[in-house]
Amino acid sequence: MPKKEKNQNMQPSHIPFLRESAPERAVACACGIKLDISRQRLTGEDLDELIGFAEKKDLLGAHARMCAGETVNAAEGRAALHTSLRAFSAAAPKYDEVVAERNRLFAFTKAVREGRWRGCRGDRITDVINIGIGGSEMGPHAVWQALRTANPDLKLHFLASVDGVLLERILSVCKPRSTLVIVSSKSFTTRETQVNAAAVDQWLLEGGVVGGDRARHMVVVSSNTAAADAMCLPPENQFRIWDWVGGRFSVWSAIGLPVMLALGTEAFTEFLMGANEMDRHSLETPVGQNLPALLALLEYWNANRLGITSHCMLPYDERLRTLVPWLQQLEMESLGKTTGADGKHVEGFTGLQVWGHNGNEGQHSFYQWLRDGTGRTSIDLLWSEMPGHRYAEHYRVLLANARAQAEALVMRGPGNPFFNAVSTIVLDAVTPRRLGALMAMYEHKTTMLGHILGLNPFDQPGVELGKRLSRRAEGGADLQAILAEVALQ
């Protein structure tokens, strides 16, 4: 196990960059993604120590066992087989049922996109409202932001928050008879989703969509077999997810239906293929060149060796903007825990505070703090080698900013107790395939960190407590009394 500093708050002398001792080991490439860790603060010897640590922890072995279907969610007694959702080999666990459900989704998608599935009065579907929150919204929203065209044939709207302002803004630009509503909830008990679904259902009613007509305008996505019945819809209007798919790992499943509809089945297949390429890379590549394994080990090193407490994602590409809240949920909900899978208190730092923003905008907002403030931060700085537009001068200036900030953010004098550690992640292009690989890379980083730290990254007990308290607060319960009860448990 890598050694810790005796006092992580001591003023360090010069903390070296990897490029100073082992520049030849600072770059790893796979799936159209180049990871440059030359500005990370460790030596080649430290990197060897981390790789040895991973081998002692059987990091890749544990990862392979997860992908093979071993029970890894001990709290719920389940496997975590999100990798099977993007598998293209019959040897993958659950392959037949995954393909069968994918075929249903693709058939429905094609019917809508080709105009064969229409509204109850024959109107072509022009708008899709996705009702879902957390894992039922963040993944599809990130994919849509990255891959949408300027003038899409089908417009997507994401109704997540139970906030009437958002509801009104979405409904004001849609027409009931040309709108398809997707209600997504793994459990189909999420309160925000229930309230929003009821409000949109009333809007459909007021627009003349009543009775059996509703079946042309609403579908549900859930692992709860009674979901369609709860919405008074026929069984064929329900698409399935499984209890072995965690919500924040579910964009590859029927939770991705809104982006299938908006982008088409070919683009979604490419998205799955990119993720599958990263799956195979993560299983077959030695730790020293394994992208997610390196990211996991570096985050462990930064937190527990260098006392870094926050991780900042800075995409220099408008298309990747929404990856920031997606990664925030993925890592912080998975790793924000102090109790290990064995029920014991975990030593050291487990999950970092994940935050960030569009990189170019951030330069004029919080980079002053990153550059000169009193903090230690690890940073992922992302960009694409291919712009998503035809404005050459814009791309030249944007790329110059990204490259300059990668250097500026690590430039502090020797002995300064506050510093940053920067990785750059460069895609050869923002395509469905590359986006799939990028998102799968971060998923694997997160689950590998869970193994390193001895955590179960697939449960969220703190979230469940908040849900219980919210429901009781709706009924007028005394929250202080409830909290006192919880403290005694």
Side-chain angles (χ1 to χ4, degrees):
M1 179 176 178
K3 299 177 288 184
K4 296 180 182 179
E5 291 180 3
K6 292 181 180 179
N7 184 345
Q8 291 175 330
N9 293 318
M10 288 177 59
Q11 180 167 318
S13 57
H14 177 65
I15 301 178
F17 296 110
L18 183 60
R19 64 189 178 191
E20 295 172 11
S21 61
E24 73 284 355
R25 303 177 64 188
V27 176
C29 301
C31 308
I33 299 170
K34 181 172 73 174
L35 171 65
D36 183 341
I37 59 173
S38 62
R39 300 173 191 84
Q40 289 289 330
R41 295 177 178 269
L42 76 171
T43 65
E45 183 179 345
D46 295 329
L47 183 57
D48 287 334
E49 188 178 356
L50 275 174
I51 292 170
F53 174 59
E55 291 169 350
K56 288 179 182 178
K57 283 276 190 178
D58 190 25
L59 179 61
L60 297 188
H63 179 61
R65 291 190 292 275
M66 179 195 77
C67 295
E70 184 175 291
T71 297
V72 290
N73 182 353
E76 299 171 352
R78 295 172 180 165
L81 281 171
H82 45 281
T83 52
S84 285
L85 297 172
R86 62 248 189 164
F88 291 88
S89 166
K94 312 291 186 181
Y95 178 78
D96 289 340
E97 56 187 298
V98 168
V99 170
E101 194 64 13
R102 189 189 301 158
N103 288 340
R104 284 190 66 224
L105 288 159
F106 280 12
F108 176 70
T109 295
K110 290 176 181 178
V112 173
R113 287 178 60 83
E114 293 169 5
R116 291 181 283 110
W117 178 290
R118 292 178 176 250
C120 60
R121 299 295 183 272
D123 299 84
R124 191 165 185 134
I125 300 298
T126 59
D127 293 84
V128 176
I129 300 175
N130 186 77
I131 302 176
I133 197 166
S136 297
E137 181 264 347
M138 288 185 174
H141 203 160
V143 175
W144 174 238
Q145 173 70 19
L147 301 178
R148 60 167 293 177
T149 60
N151 295 294
D153 294 330
L154 271 176
K155 299 179 180 66
L156 286 192
H157 311 272
F158 292 92
L159 180 55
S161 169
V162 59
D163 186 325
V165 172
L166 178 62
L167 175 68
E168 284 188 344
R169 288 178 177 176
I170 291 174
L171 297 185
S172 69
V173 296
C174 297
K175 296 179 181 179
R177 293 182 182 179
S178 60
T179 296
L180 177 69
V181 180
I182 304 170
V183 185
S184 289
S185 172
K186 182 177 176 182
S187 64
F188 224 71
T189 60
T190 304
R191 185 64 175 142
E192 295 92 336
T193 301
Q194 291 176 333
V195 172
N196 278 328
V200 175
D201 208 6
Q202 180 64 30
W203 173 76
L204 290 173
L205 174 65
E206 293 168 357
V209 180
V210 298
D213 291 346
R214 295 169 63 258
R216 304 299 297 180
H217 293 272
M218 184 177 289
V219 297
V220 297
V221 176
S222 183
S223 64
N224 185 333
T225 56
D229 188 58
M231 295 300 299
C232 299
L233 294 169
E236 58 267 25
N237 279 48
Q238 177 165 346
F239 295 100
R240 181 184 183 189
I241 56 175
W242 298 269
D243 60 9
W244 39 261
V245 180
R248 50 194 173 273
F249 300 88
S250 64
V251 67
W252 325 98
S253 71
I255 293 295
L257 177 58
V259 288
M260 292 182 208
L261 287 164
L263 301 174
T265 58
E266 290 184 8
F268 197 82
T269 299
E270 285 287 312
F271 178 61
L272 297 177
M273 291 176 71
N276 180 254
E277 286 179 8
M278 181 57 68
D279 293 343
R280 287 184 278 115
H281 165 78
S282 70
L283 289 165
E284 299 166 2
T285 308
V287 172
Q289 289 291 309
N290 188 309
L291 302 190
L294 283 171
L295 290 173
L297 290 168
L298 285 169
E299 186 156 316
Y300 176 83
W301 172 267
N302 286 333
N304 292 286
R305 176 67 170 82
L306 301 183
I308 288 174
T309 58
S310 78
H311 179 71
C312 186
M313 176 187 259
L314 301 172
Y316 276 77
D317 194 304
E318 175 63 22
R319 295 168 293 180
L320 304 180
R321 176 190 292 269
T322 313
L323 282 179
V324 175
W326 171 80
L327 182 67
Q328 187 176 65
Q329 188 217 17
L330 176 65
E331 286 203 28
M332 295 182 76
E333 198 164 85
S334 297
L335 305 174
K337 298 161 186 174
T338 55
T339 303
D342 59 3
K344 297 178 181 178
H345 188 80
V346 178
E347 293 184 7
F349 295 106
T350 54
L352 298 187
Q353 173 191 356
V354 179
W355 61 290
H357 196 53
N358 174 285
N360 194 209
E361 293 173 12
Q363 290 175 214
H364 301 270
S365 173
F366 53 80
Y367 274 37
Q368 174 62 36
W369 182 88
L370 282 176
R371 176 72 178 85
D372 290 325
T374 54
R376 300 179 181 183
T377 306
S378 70
I379 298 170
D380 284 352
L381 202 150
L382 289 72
W383 70 81
S384 170
E385 291 179 343
M386 291 289 292
H389 55 79
R390 58 186 175 84
Y391 303 102
E393 182 70 0
H394 283 71
Y395 181 65
R396 186 185 68 81
V397 173
L398 184 68
L399 197 58
N401 273 275
R403 289 172 171 163
Q405 291 300 327
E407 288 297 325
L409 289 169
V410 295
M411 290 173 62
R412 292 202 188 190
N416 193 324
F418 309 111
F419 55 86
N420 301 314
V422 172
S423 295
T424 63
I425 298 171
V426 182
L427 283 70
D428 59 12
V430 178
T431 64
R433 188 178 287 244
R434 297 299 183 244
L435 183 69
L438 181 69
M439 294 175 73
M441 178 186 75
Y442 277 114
E443 284 185 349
H444 294 323
K445 171 203 170 181
T446 302
T447 59
M448 288 178 179
L449 258 172
H451 176 70
I452 291 170
L453 297 166
L455 300 174
N456 175 5
F458 304 106
D459 64 358
Q460 49 278 331
V463 174
E464 297 306 321
L465 171 62
K467 288 180 180 179
R468 293 198 301 273
L469 293 179
S470 295
R471 290 300 293 266
R472 294 179 71 172
E474 281 187 46
D478 182 343
L479 289 184
Q480 293 300 319
I482 297 171
L483 289 171
E485 289 177 23
V486 172
L488 294 173
Q489 293 175 359

Short mmCIF file of all heavy atoms in Angstrom, two decimals, residues 426-481:
data_model
loop_
_atom_site.label_atom_id
_atom_site.label_comp_id
_atom_site.label_asym_id
_atom_site.label_seq_id
_atom_site.Cartn_x
_atom_site.Cartn_y
_atom_site.Cartn_z
N VAL A 426 -8.02 13.62 -24.11
CA VAL A 426 -8.27 14.16 -25.44
C VAL A 426 -8.93 13.08 -26.30
O VAL A 426 -8.39 11.98 -26.47
CB VAL A 426 -6.96 14.64 -26.11
CG1 VAL A 426 -7.25 15.23 -27.48
CG2 VAL A 426 -6.25 15.66 -25.21
N LEU A 427 -10.11 13.41 -26.83
CA LEU A 427 -10.81 12.52 -27.76
C LEU A 427 -10.41 12.88 -29.18
O LEU A 427 -10.22 14.06 -29.49
CB LEU A 427 -12.32 12.66 -27.61
CG LEU A 427 -13.01 12.00 -26.42
CD1 LEU A 427 -12.66 12.69 -25.12
CD2 LEU A 427 -14.53 12.01 -26.61
N ASP A 428 -10.29 11.87 -30.04
CA ASP A 428 -9.99 12.21 -31.43
C ASP A 428 -11.20 12.85 -32.11
O ASP A 428 -11.06 13.59 -33.09
CB ASP A 428 -9.46 11.01 -32.21
CG ASP A 428 -10.41 9.82 -32.25
OD1 ASP A 428 -11.60 9.97 -31.88
OD2 ASP A 428 -9.98 8.72 -32.65
N ALA A 429 -12.41 12.62 -31.58
CA ALA A 429 -13.62 13.27 -32.06
C ALA A 429 -14.73 12.98 -31.07
O ALA A 429 -14.67 11.99 -30.33
CB ALA A 429 -14.01 12.75 -33.44
N VAL A 430 -15.73 13.83 -31.02
CA VAL A 430 -16.91 13.57 -30.19
C VAL A 430 -17.95 12.89 -31.08
O VAL A 430 -18.70 13.54 -31.81
CB VAL A 430 -17.47 14.85 -29.56
CG1 VAL A 430 -18.73 14.54 -28.74
CG2 VAL A 430 -16.42 15.51 -28.67
N THR A 431 -17.95 11.58 -31.05
CA THR A 431 -18.88 10.76 -31.81
C THR A 431 -19.61 9.84 -30.84
O THR A 431 -19.19 9.70 -29.68
CB THR A 431 -18.14 9.89 -32.85
OG1 THR A 431 -17.27 8.97 -32.13
CG2 THR A 431 -17.29 10.75 -33.79
N PRO A 432 -20.69 9.18 -31.26
CA PRO A 432 -21.35 8.24 -30.35
C PRO A 432 -20.39 7.19 -29.81
O PRO A 432 -20.42 6.85 -28.61
CB PRO A 432 -22.43 7.62 -31.23
CG PRO A 432 -22.76 8.68 -32.22
CD PRO A 432 -21.46 9.36 -32.51
N ARG A 433 -19.51 6.67 -30.67
CA ARG A 433 -18.59 5.62 -30.23
C ARG A 433 -17.60 6.15 -29.19
O ARG A 433 -17.35 5.50 -28.17
CB ARG A 433 -17.85 5.03 -31.43
CG ARG A 433 -17.03 3.79 -31.08
CD ARG A 433 -16.36 3.22 -32.33
NE ARG A 433 -17.32 2.58 -33.20
CZ ARG A 433 -17.32 1.27 -33.50
NH1 ARG A 433 -16.41 0.48 -32.98
NH2 ARG A 433 -18.20 0.77 -34.32
N ARG A 434 -17.03 7.32 -29.44
CA ARG A 434 -16.05 7.87 -28.50
C ARG A 434 -16.72 8.28 -27.19
O ARG A 434 -16.14 8.13 -26.11
CB ARG A 434 -15.34 9.07 -29.12
CG ARG A 434 -14.52 8.72 -30.35
CD ARG A 434 -13.42 7.71 -30.03
NE ARG A 434 -12.60 7.44 -31.20
CZ ARG A 434 -12.50 6.27 -31.80
NH1 ARG A 434 -13.20 5.23 -31.35
NH2 ARG A 434 -11.71 6.11 -32.85
N LEU A 435 -17.92 8.81 -27.27
CA LEU A 435 -18.62 9.18 -26.05
C LEU A 435 -18.92 7.94 -25.21
O LEU A 435 -18.78 7.97 -23.97
CB LEU A 435 -19.93 9.91 -26.39
CG LEU A 435 -20.72 10.40 -25.19
CD1 LEU A 435 -20.01 11.53 -24.47
CD2 LEU A 435 -22.13 10.84 -25.62
N GLY A 436 -19.34 6.86 -25.85
CA GLY A 436 -19.57 5.62 -25.12
C GLY A 436 -18.33 5.14 -24.40
O GLY A 436 -18.39 4.72 -23.24
N ALA A 437 -17.19 5.21 -25.09
CA ALA A 437 -15.93 4.79 -24.46
C ALA A 437 -15.58 5.69 -23.28
O ALA A 437 -15.13 5.22 -22.23
CB ALA A 437 -14.81 4.80 -25.50
N LEU A 438 -15.77 6.99 -23.45
CA LEU A 438 -15.42 7.94 -22.39
C LEU A 438 -16.28 7.71 -21.14
O LEU A 438 -15.76 7.66 -20.02
CB LEU A 438 -15.63 9.36 -22.90
CG LEU A 438 -15.28 10.49 -21.93
CD1 LEU A 438 -13.79 10.57 -21.69
CD2 LEU A 438 -15.81 11.83 -22.46
N MET A 439 -17.58 7.55 -21.32
CA MET A 439 -18.46 7.34 -20.17
C MET A 439 -18.20 6.00 -19.52
O MET A 439 -18.22 5.89 -18.28
CB MET A 439 -19.91 7.50 -20.60
CG MET A 439 -20.24 8.93 -21.03
SD MET A 439 -21.92 9.17 -21.70
CE MET A 439 -22.91 9.05 -20.20
N ALA A 440 -17.92 4.96 -20.30
CA ALA A 440 -17.59 3.66 -19.72
C ALA A 440 -16.27 3.73 -18.96
O ALA A 440 -16.11 3.08 -17.91
CB ALA A 440 -17.52 2.61 -20.82
N MET A 441 -15.31 4.51 -19.45
CA MET A 441 -14.03 4.68 -18.75
C MET A 441 -14.26 5.24 -17.35
O MET A 441 -13.69 4.74 -16.37
CB MET A 441 -13.14 5.62 -19.55
CG MET A 441 -11.79 5.91 -18.90
SD MET A 441 -10.84 7.17 -19.81
CE MET A 441 -11.73 8.67 -19.33
N TYR A 442 -15.10 6.25 -17.24
CA TYR A 442 -15.37 6.82 -15.92
C TYR A 442 -16.17 5.87 -15.04
O TYR A 442 -15.97 5.83 -13.82
CB TYR A 442 -16.10 8.16 -16.07
CG TYR A 442 -15.17 9.32 -16.33
CD1 TYR A 442 -15.20 10.02 -17.53
CD2 TYR A 442 -14.25 9.74 -15.37
CE1 TYR A 442 -14.35 11.09 -17.77
CE2 TYR A 442 -13.39 10.80 -15.59
CZ TYR A 442 -13.45 11.47 -16.79
OH TYR A 442 -12.60 12.53 -17.02
N GLU A 443 -17.08 5.09 -15.62
CA GLU A 443 -17.77 4.07 -14.83
C GLU A 443 -16.77 3.09 -14.22
O GLU A 443 -16.83 2.78 -13.02
CB GLU A 443 -18.75 3.30 -15.71
CG GLU A 443 -20.03 4.03 -16.06
CD GLU A 443 -21.00 3.15 -16.82
OE1 GLU A 443 -20.62 2.04 -17.26
OE2 GLU A 443 -22.16 3.58 -16.98
N HIS A 444 -15.85 2.59 -15.04
CA HIS A 444 -14.88 1.62 -14.54
C HIS A 444 -13.93 2.24 -13.52
O HIS A 444 -13.55 1.59 -12.54
CB HIS A 444 -14.10 1.01 -15.70
CG HIS A 444 -14.94 0.18 -16.63
ND1 HIS A 444 -15.97 -0.62 -16.18
CD2 HIS A 444 -14.90 0.02 -17.98
CE1 HIS A 444 -16.53 -1.23 -17.21
NE2 HIS A 444 -15.89 -0.86 -18.31
N LYS A 445 -13.53 3.48 -13.75
CA LYS A 445 -12.72 4.16 -12.74
C LYS A 445 -13.43 4.13 -11.38
O LYS A 445 -12.82 3.86 -10.34
CB LYS A 445 -12.47 5.61 -13.16
CG LYS A 445 -11.82 6.46 -12.08
CD LYS A 445 -12.07 7.94 -12.27
CE LYS A 445 -11.63 8.74 -11.05
NZ LYS A 445 -11.89 10.18 -11.21
N THR A 446 -14.73 4.42 -11.40
CA THR A 446 -15.51 4.51 -10.16
C THR A 446 -15.63 3.16 -9.48
O THR A 446 -15.42 3.05 -8.25
CB THR A 446 -16.90 5.09 -10.46
OG1 THR A 446 -16.74 6.39 -11.07
CG2 THR A 446 -17.73 5.22 -9.21
N THR A 447 -15.96 2.12 -10.22
CA THR A 447 -16.11 0.80 -9.59
C THR A 447 -14.76 0.25 -9.14
O THR A 447 -14.68 -0.43 -8.12
CB THR A 447 -16.81 -0.18 -10.52
OG1 THR A 447 -16.07 -0.33 -11.75
CG2 THR A 447 -18.22 0.31 -10.86
N MET A 448 -13.69 0.55 -9.89
CA MET A 448 -12.36 0.12 -9.45
C MET A 448 -11.95 0.83 -8.16
O MET A 448 -11.36 0.21 -7.26
CB MET A 448 -11.34 0.39 -10.55
CG MET A 448 -11.45 -0.55 -11.74
SD MET A 448 -10.23 -0.13 -13.02
CE MET A 448 -10.56 -1.39 -14.25
N LEU A 449 -12.27 2.10 -8.05
CA LEU A 449 -12.01 2.81 -6.79
C LEU A 449 -12.79 2.19 -5.65
O LEU A 449 -12.29 2.09 -4.52
CB LEU A 449 -12.39 4.28 -6.94
CG LEU A 449 -11.25 5.26 -7.15
CD1 LEU A 449 -11.81 6.65 -7.47
CD2 LEU A 449 -10.33 5.33 -5.95
N GLY A 450 -14.03 1.79 -5.92
CA GLY A 450 -14.81 1.12 -4.89
C GLY A 450 -14.09 -0.11 -4.37
O GLY A 450 -14.05 -0.36 -3.16
N HIS A 451 -13.51 -0.90 -5.28
CA HIS A 451 -12.77 -2.09 -4.86
C HIS A 451 -11.53 -1.71 -4.05
O HIS A 451 -11.27 -2.30 -2.99
CB HIS A 451 -12.36 -2.92 -6.07
CG HIS A 451 -11.52 -4.10 -5.72
ND1 HIS A 451 -12.01 -5.20 -5.06
CD2 HIS A 451 -10.18 -4.34 -5.91
CE1 HIS A 451 -11.03 -6.07 -4.86
NE2 HIS A 451 -9.92 -5.57 -5.37
N ILE A 452 -10.78 -0.74 -4.52
CA ILE A 452 -9.58 -0.30 -3.81
C ILE A 452 -9.90 0.14 -2.39
O ILE A 452 -9.19 -0.18 -1.43
CB ILE A 452 -8.88 0.83 -4.59
CG1 ILE A 452 -8.28 0.30 -5.89
CG2 ILE A 452 -7.78 1.49 -3.73
CD1 ILE A 452 -7.79 1.40 -6.82
N LEU A 453 -11.01 0.86 -2.25
CA LEU A 453 -11.37 1.45 -0.96
C LEU A 453 -12.18 0.50 -0.09
O LEU A 453 -12.46 0.82 1.08
CB LEU A 453 -12.15 2.74 -1.19
CG LEU A 453 -11.39 3.85 -1.91
CD1 LEU A 453 -12.35 4.93 -2.39
CD2 LEU A 453 -10.32 4.44 -1.00
N GLY A 454 -12.59 -0.63 -0.63
CA GLY A 454 -13.40 -1.57 0.14
C GLY A 454 -14.84 -1.13 0.29
O GLY A 454 -15.52 -1.50 1.26
N LEU A 455 -15.34 -0.34 -0.67
CA LEU A 455 -16.70 0.17 -0.62
C LEU A 455 -17.61 -0.61 -1.57
O LEU A 455 -17.14 -1.21 -2.54
CB LEU A 455 -16.75 1.64 -1.03
CG LEU A 455 -15.95 2.64 -0.20
CD1 LEU A 455 -16.01 4.01 -0.85
CD2 LEU A 455 -16.48 2.71 1.23
N ASN A 456 -18.90 -0.54 -1.32
CA ASN A 456 -19.90 -1.02 -2.27
C ASN A 456 -20.35 0.19 -3.09
O ASN A 456 -21.09 1.04 -2.58
CB ASN A 456 -21.08 -1.63 -1.53
CG ASN A 456 -22.22 -2.04 -2.46
OD1 ASN A 456 -22.10 -1.96 -3.69
ND2 ASN A 456 -23.33 -2.46 -1.89
N PRO A 457 -19.91 0.33 -4.33
CA PRO A 457 -20.28 1.52 -5.12
C PRO A 457 -21.68 1.46 -5.71
O PRO A 457 -22.06 2.36 -6.45
CB PRO A 457 -19.22 1.53 -6.22
CG PRO A 457 -18.86 0.11 -6.41
CD PRO A 457 -18.98 -0.55 -5.07
N PHE A 458 -22.45 0.43 -5.38
CA PHE A 458 -23.74 0.22 -6.03
C PHE A 458 -24.94 0.48 -5.13
O PHE A 458 -26.08 0.28 -5.53
CB PHE A 458 -23.81 -1.19 -6.62
CG PHE A 458 -22.69 -1.48 -7.57
CD1 PHE A 458 -21.64 -2.31 -7.20
CD2 PHE A 458 -22.65 -0.87 -8.81
CE1 PHE A 458 -20.58 -2.55 -8.07
CE2 PHE A 458 -21.59 -1.11 -9.69
CZ PHE A 458 -20.56 -1.96 -9.31
N ASP A 459 -24.70 0.88 -3.87
CA ASP A 459 -25.83 1.26 -3.02
C ASP A 459 -25.72 2.74 -2.68
O ASP A 459 -24.73 3.40 -3.02
CB ASP A 459 -25.92 0.39 -1.78
CG ASP A 459 -24.71 0.54 -0.85
OD1 ASP A 459 -23.77 1.30 -1.19
OD2 ASP A 459 -24.69 -0.09 0.22
N GLN A 460 -26.73 3.29 -2.03
CA GLN A 460 -26.75 4.71 -1.69
C GLN A 460 -27.60 4.93 -0.44
O GLN A 460 -28.66 5.56 -0.50
CB GLN A 460 -27.27 5.57 -2.85
CG GLN A 460 -28.56 5.11 -3.50
CD GLN A 460 -28.37 4.01 -4.51
OE1 GLN A 460 -27.33 3.90 -5.15
NE2 GLN A 460 -29.37 3.17 -4.66
N PRO A 461 -27.14 4.42 0.70
CA PRO A 461 -27.97 4.49 1.92
C PRO A 461 -28.29 5.91 2.35
O PRO A 461 -29.38 6.17 2.87
CB PRO A 461 -27.11 3.77 2.97
CG PRO A 461 -25.71 3.80 2.43
CD PRO A 461 -25.87 3.73 0.95
N GLY A 462 -27.37 6.86 2.13
CA GLY A 462 -27.65 8.24 2.50
C GLY A 462 -28.77 8.84 1.69
O GLY A 462 -29.58 9.62 2.19
N VAL A 463 -28.85 8.48 0.42
CA VAL A 463 -29.92 8.96 -0.44
C VAL A 463 -31.26 8.40 0.03
O VAL A 463 -32.27 9.12 0.08
CB VAL A 463 -29.66 8.56 -1.91
CG1 VAL A 463 -30.83 8.94 -2.80
CG2 VAL A 463 -28.39 9.22 -2.41
N GLU A 464 -31.27 7.14 0.39
CA GLU A 464 -32.51 6.51 0.81
C GLU A 464 -33.04 7.14 2.10
O GLU A 464 -34.25 7.29 2.27
CB GLU A 464 -32.30 4.99 1.01
CG GLU A 464 -31.90 4.25 -0.26
CD GLU A 464 -32.88 4.47 -1.40
OE1 GLU A 464 -34.11 4.51 -1.14
OE2 GLU A 464 -32.43 4.61 -2.55
N LEU A 465 -32.14 7.51 3.01
CA LEU A 465 -32.57 8.19 4.24
C LEU A 465 -33.26 9.50 3.89
O LEU A 465 -34.33 9.82 4.44
CB LEU A 465 -31.36 8.44 5.14
CG LEU A 465 -31.63 9.33 6.36
CD1 LEU A 465 -32.65 8.68 7.29
CD2 LEU A 465 -30.33 9.63 7.12
N GLY A 466 -32.67 10.27 3.00
CA GLY A 466 -33.28 11.54 2.60
C GLY A 466 -34.66 11.35 2.01
O GLY A 466 -35.58 12.15 2.25
N LYS A 467 -34.83 10.31 1.21
CA LYS A 467 -36.14 10.04 0.62
C LYS A 467 -37.17 9.76 1.70
O LYS A 467 -38.31 10.25 1.64
CB LYS A 467 -36.04 8.84 -0.34
CG LYS A 467 -35.31 9.11 -1.64
CD LYS A 467 -35.30 7.85 -2.49
CE LYS A 467 -34.58 8.06 -3.81
NZ LYS A 467 -34.53 6.83 -4.63
N ARG A 468 -36.79 8.95 2.69
CA ARG A 468 -37.74 8.61 3.76
C ARG A 468 -38.14 9.87 4.54
O ARG A 468 -39.32 10.06 4.87
CB ARG A 468 -37.13 7.57 4.69
CG ARG A 468 -36.92 6.20 4.04
CD ARG A 468 -36.73 5.11 5.08
NE ARG A 468 -35.61 5.36 5.96
CZ ARG A 468 -34.35 4.99 5.71
NH1 ARG A 468 -34.07 4.35 4.54
NH2 ARG A 468 -33.38 5.23 6.54
N LEU A 469 -37.17 10.70 4.85
CA LEU A 469 -37.47 11.92 5.58
C LEU A 469 -38.38 12.85 4.78
O LEU A 469 -39.28 13.49 5.33
CB LEU A 469 -36.17 12.65 5.96
CG LEU A 469 -35.26 11.95 6.97
CD1 LEU A 469 -34.00 12.78 7.21
CD2 LEU A 469 -35.99 11.71 8.29
N SER A 470 -38.15 12.94 3.46
CA SER A 470 -38.97 13.82 2.62
C SER A 470 -40.43 13.37 2.62
O SER A 470 -41.34 14.20 2.70
CB SER A 470 -38.43 13.82 1.18
OG SER A 470 -37.14 14.41 1.14
N ARG A 471 -40.64 12.06 2.53
CA ARG A 471 -42.01 11.57 2.51
C ARG A 471 -42.72 11.89 3.83
O ARG A 471 -43.88 12.28 3.85
CB ARG A 471 -42.03 10.06 2.26
CG ARG A 471 -41.62 9.67 0.85
CD ARG A 471 -42.55 10.28 -0.19
NE ARG A 471 -43.90 9.76 -0.14
CZ ARG A 471 -44.36 8.75 -0.87
NH1 ARG A 471 -43.57 8.16 -1.74
NH2 ARG A 471 -45.62 8.36 -0.77
N ARG A 472 -42.00 11.76 4.93
CA ARG A 472 -42.61 12.03 6.23
C ARG A 472 -42.82 13.54 6.42
O ARG A 472 -43.77 13.97 7.05
CB ARG A 472 -41.77 11.42 7.34
CG ARG A 472 -41.75 9.89 7.27
CD ARG A 472 -40.91 9.24 8.34
NE ARG A 472 -41.51 9.35 9.66
CZ ARG A 472 -41.02 8.72 10.74
NH1 ARG A 472 -39.95 7.94 10.61
NH2 ARG A 472 -41.59 8.88 11.91
N ALA A 473 -41.92 14.33 5.84
CA ALA A 473 -42.08 15.79 5.93
C ALA A 473 -43.32 16.23 5.17
O ALA A 473 -44.01 17.18 5.57
CB ALA A 473 -40.85 16.48 5.38
N GLU A 474 -43.62 15.57 4.04
CA GLU A 474 -44.83 15.90 3.28
C GLU A 474 -46.08 15.72 4.13
O GLU A 474 -47.07 16.45 3.97
CB GLU A 474 -44.95 15.00 2.05
CG GLU A 474 -44.09 15.40 0.88
CD GLU A 474 -44.41 14.57 -0.35
OE1 GLU A 474 -45.61 14.38 -0.64
OE2 GLU A 474 -43.46 14.09 -1.00
N GLY A 475 -46.02 14.75 5.04
CA GLY A 475 -47.17 14.50 5.91
C GLY A 475 -47.20 15.36 7.15
O GLY A 475 -48.04 15.16 8.03
N GLY A 476 -46.27 16.31 7.26
CA GLY A 476 -46.25 17.23 8.39
C GLY A 476 -45.54 16.69 9.62
O GLY A 476 -45.71 17.23 10.73
N ALA A 477 -44.72 15.66 9.47
CA ALA A 477 -44.03 15.07 10.61
C ALA A 477 -42.97 16.02 11.16
O ALA A 477 -42.45 16.89 10.46
CB ALA A 477 -43.38 13.75 10.21
N ASP A 478 -42.65 15.87 12.44
CA ASP A 478 -41.61 16.65 13.11
C ASP A 478 -40.27 16.04 12.74
O ASP A 478 -39.91 14.96 13.22
CB ASP A 478 -41.83 16.61 14.62
CG ASP A 478 -40.80 17.45 15.38
OD1 ASP A 478 -39.76 17.80 14.78
OD2 ASP A 478 -41.05 17.74 16.56
N LEU A 479 -39.49 16.73 11.89
CA LEU A 479 -38.23 16.17 11.40
C LEU A 479 -37.21 16.02 12.52
O LEU A 479 -36.39 15.10 12.49
CB LEU A 479 -37.67 17.04 10.28
CG LEU A 479 -38.43 16.99 8.95
CD1 LEU A 479 -37.69 17.82 7.90
CD2 LEU A 479 -38.59 15.56 8.46
N GLN A 480 -37.23 16.91 13.50
CA GLN A 480 -36.27 16.78 14.60
C GLN A 480 -36.52 15.50 15.38
O GLN A 480 -35.59 14.81 15.78
CB GLN A 480 -36.38 18.00 15.52
CG GLN A 480 -35.92 19.31 14.88
CD GLN A 480 -34.47 19.25 14.44
OE1 GLN A 480 -33.61 18.71 15.14
NE2 GLN A 480 -34.20 19.78 13.25
N ALA A 481 -37.79 15.18 15.57
CA ALA A 481 -38.12 13.93 16.27
C ALA A 481 -37.71 12.72 15.46
O ALA A 481 -37.20 11.72 16.00
CB ALA A 481 -39.62 13.89 16.57
#
